[in-house]
Amino acid sequence: MEPILKLQQQQKMMMTPQLQQSIEILQYNTFELEEFLYEQQLENPLIELQTPTFQERILSNPYSSTVPSDLYAKIAEPNLRDELNQLATLTFIGEDLQIVQTVIQYLDDKGYSPAKLRQISAQQHDHAIQLLQQIGPPGIGARSLQECLLLQIDNNDNDLHYLIQQGLPLLAERKFQELQKALQLSKDQLADCIHRLQQLTPVPCTMNQEHETLYITPDIIVYREDGTLQFSLNDGTLPTVHLQNSYQNIHSFLPKSEQQYVKQHFKQFNWLIHSLQQRRQTIIQIMSVVLAHQEPFFMHGPAFLKPLTLQDVATQIDMHVSTVSRAIRNKYLQTPVGTYLWKDLFSSKLDNMQAQHSQTSILEMIKKIINAENKQKPLSDQKIAEILASTHHIQIARRTISKYREELGIQAASKRKQL
């Protein structure tokens, strides 16, 4: 077979650096975009950023209750292990101080002690745990859940003491009649005992973890004005991009080799401006559709969220679905009913006899039905399905109810039963 030379014409979409940058800019939320602009200023000598003043940031959006991003605080909780050691030094001396510090050193992330410590005897361990109760959260240093709970109760509370020592397995299985018989208590007395147990904490504290409170910067503000819903981009905190004033003056005087360098950076500057404008326009187009479609949600909350897919929006504004997906990525909306991730306003459709409901609204309905149930006779998944069918004309299989209930973090009926 002889080799043949053949010409073939093909169309291919090349991902140029400029196009890639435009896609990246579209995906950035407000905070990420601000960081990106300052990086561009360092890389391109023709870019000059004008940072808004404090007053300009505050007044940029009168409907936003947030603080400018550069004023955001990160609040770290103190390290409890260090605090306990300091308190121990101030409270104890001699051997007591030594054994308490040993126990503190080996506390796990939940404030529990190991079952055994080789560094001290079992008797010293018992004593150190009792000393820790004077300076730390109740239950700290316990070696088991039962010991943790017992450290938090009055020694004279015999009923609760016995419930913790012997009755936790029966309580977990909701075997209330057996508990009543074992404790020799009436129904009301057992209910009161269980109530006291529920006031205790199974986790004394969190050790060695610094938790930061991060304040969210909403990218879009939705607000009511004259009885109608409006929205605005929360971009008043962003620096404005300008061309260096000296560029026009020096460009013609530069050698040709340097002129080429300047031209390339000028081209990048123009593309950046174009990408920023395109990002803003894309977000406005998408949000306009979302606002019109989800008006009941913005007025009344998650239970009124309608089905809306990325493809629905993409078709309506004649845009590729991947563009819509990138635009809503990691962006937050501040609304009259709370702050939400933008993507949470998109939900798949569930076809029913008389209406279409979003998965999110179904989850809200299930949550309300369970919250209103008789806690002594919790509703089974099948019963919840029947209530949805009769009350809301929504046909959902029992196994689907079970899946949604688990997504909500709600236990099965047998585990929800109360005395």
Side-chain angles (χ1 to χ4, degrees):
M1 187 173 183
E2 295 183 3
I4 300 174
L5 184 64
K6 184 193 295 185
L7 293 176
Q8 188 175 11
Q9 190 175 11
Q10 286 184 324
Q11 282 188 336
K12 277 189 178 181
M13 183 177 177
M14 302 298 292
M15 181 68 78
T16 64
Q18 291 84 0
L19 181 58
Q20 188 173 359
Q21 183 190 73
S22 182
I23 290 173
E24 288 177 1
I25 288 176
L26 179 61
Q27 294 182 116
Y28 290 148
N29 60 32
T30 303
F31 181 75
E32 292 168 337
L33 182 58
E34 184 173 359
E35 287 188 328
F36 172 78
L37 291 177
Y38 282 110
E39 290 173 3
Q40 291 300 299
Q41 183 184 35
L42 295 175
E43 295 176 6
N44 190 336
L46 301 186
I47 293 177
E48 181 178 22
L49 298 181
Q50 182 178 345
T51 305
T53 65
F54 178 83
Q55 286 185 333
E56 288 172 338
R57 287 171 176 253
I58 294 295
L59 298 175
S60 62
N61 196 322
Y63 298 96
S64 174
S65 60
T66 57
V67 181
S69 59
D70 61 338
L71 299 179
Y72 276 11
K74 291 183 178 181
I75 304 172
E77 294 181 358
N79 186 305
L80 185 57
R81 197 183 304 273
D82 292 340
E83 282 192 1
L84 288 172
N85 275 313
Q86 291 173 2
L87 289 170
T89 304
L90 295 172
T91 309
F92 310 117
I93 59 173
E95 182 183 330
D96 283 354
L97 175 60
Q98 183 181 351
I99 61 175
V100 166
Q101 288 182 326
T102 299
V103 173
I104 292 172
Q105 180 183 351
Y106 289 96
L107 292 175
D108 66 16
D109 289 343
K110 295 181 180 180
Y112 280 81
S113 285
K116 294 181 180 179
L117 280 175
R118 290 178 297 177
Q119 293 78 2
I120 56 178
S121 68
Q123 186 178 0
Q124 288 175 318
H125 198 171
D126 292 339
H127 182 52
I129 291 172
Q130 292 299 324
L131 294 175
L132 268 177
Q133 307 311 302
Q134 301 176 29
I135 62 172
I140 190 167
R143 290 156 290 194
S144 66
L145 173 61
Q146 287 180 325
E147 184 178 16
C148 177
L149 297 174
L150 289 171
L151 287 168
Q152 300 174 53
I153 69 172
D154 187 338
N155 290 331
N156 296 323
D157 194 339
N158 296 325
D159 292 338
L160 184 53
H161 191 280
Y162 185 84
L163 177 61
I164 294 171
Q165 285 278 45
Q166 306 292 336
L168 292 183
L170 290 175
L171 183 60
E173 296 296 324
R174 295 293 194 264
K175 295 181 178 179
F176 298 120
Q177 291 183 348
E178 292 185 36
L179 268 177
Q180 280 183 247
K181 184 177 180 180
L183 294 173
Q184 295 184 347
L185 296 175
S186 67
K187 182 177 179 180
D188 290 341
Q189 287 173 326
L190 178 59
D192 182 64
C193 191
I194 292 173
H195 176 73
R196 295 199 304 278
L197 175 66
Q198 291 171 337
Q199 309 311 305
L200 309 179
T201 175
V203 181
C205 59
T206 304
M207 304 292 297
N208 285 342
Q209 292 183 0
E210 292 187 352
H211 299 279
E212 292 184 342
T213 303
L214 301 177
Y215 295 92
I216 294 170
T217 306
D219 301 274
I220 302 172
I221 311 295
V222 180
Y223 55 92
R224 293 191 186 98
E225 188 173 59
D226 298 330
T228 61
L229 288 170
Q230 306 289 337
F231 75 90
S232 64
L233 271 61
N234 189 27
D235 54 6
T237 61
L238 294 174
T240 52
V241 183
H242 299 283
L243 183 66
Q244 279 278 5
N245 292 330
S246 57
Y247 165 71
Q248 298 291 349
N249 299 327
I250 66 171
H251 177 255
S252 58
F253 298 101
L254 293 173
K256 287 187 177 180
S257 59
E258 294 184 17
Q259 284 186 15
Q260 185 61 34
Y261 169 83
V262 173
K263 283 181 180 178
Q264 181 64 29
H265 282 84
F266 181 66
K267 184 178 179 181
Q268 292 173 358
F269 166 82
N270 281 331
W271 187 263
L272 175 62
I273 296 296
H274 171 75
S275 298
L276 291 172
Q277 292 172 344
Q278 192 174 46
R279 172 189 181 274
R280 198 173 200 279
Q281 188 59 34
T282 300
I283 291 174
I284 289 173
Q285 283 183 274
I286 296 171
M287 189 59 205
S288 297
V289 175
V290 173
L291 187 71
H293 188 85
Q294 300 290 13
E295 183 177 349
F297 164 82
F298 291 116
M299 288 293 196
H300 307 292
F304 293 83
L305 191 69
K306 294 182 179 180
L308 182 66
T309 65
L310 298 178
Q311 187 61 60
D312 292 336
V313 176
T315 301
Q316 190 164 339
I317 60 178
D318 194 21
M319 193 176 288
H320 198 278
V321 68
S322 64
T323 304
V324 178
S325 177
R326 291 186 179 105
I328 69 170
R329 172 195 168 274
N330 200 27
K331 294 181 178 68
Y332 282 88
L333 307 182
Q334 180 180 301
T335 79
V337 292
T339 300
Y340 297 87
L341 271 169
W342 199 359
K343 70 176 181 64
D344 290 344
L345 273 65
F346 292 81
S347 182
S348 57
K349 299 176 181 178
L350 296 174
D351 294 323
N352 299 285
M353 292 187 298
Q354 297 183 13
Q356 286 186 325
H357 299 267
S358 71
Q359 181 176 329
T360 304
S361 65
I362 297 293
L363 291 172
E364 285 293 318
M365 291 178 193
I366 293 173
K367 188 191 301 184
K368 287 184 177 180
I369 291 171
I370 292 175
N371 287 341
E373 72 185 358
N374 182 344
K375 302 304 178 184
Q376 295 179 342
K377 296 180 180 179
L379 299 171
S380 66
D381 294 337
Q382 181 60 43
K383 186 62 179 177
I384 294 172
E386 292 171 4
I387 292 173
L388 285 173
S390 61
T391 306
H392 302 284
H393 307 290
I394 299 171
Q395 300 291 340
I396 300 181
R398 179 201 57 78
R399 61 181 178 275
T400 306
I401 295 292
S402 177
K403 185 183 88 169
Y404 287 170
R405 176 178 49 73
E406 290 172 1
E407 286 182 18
L408 290 167
I410 298 175
Q411 294 181 316
S414 60
K415 300 295 183 182
R416 300 198 306 272
K417 186 177 180 182
Q418 297 181 9
L419 186 63

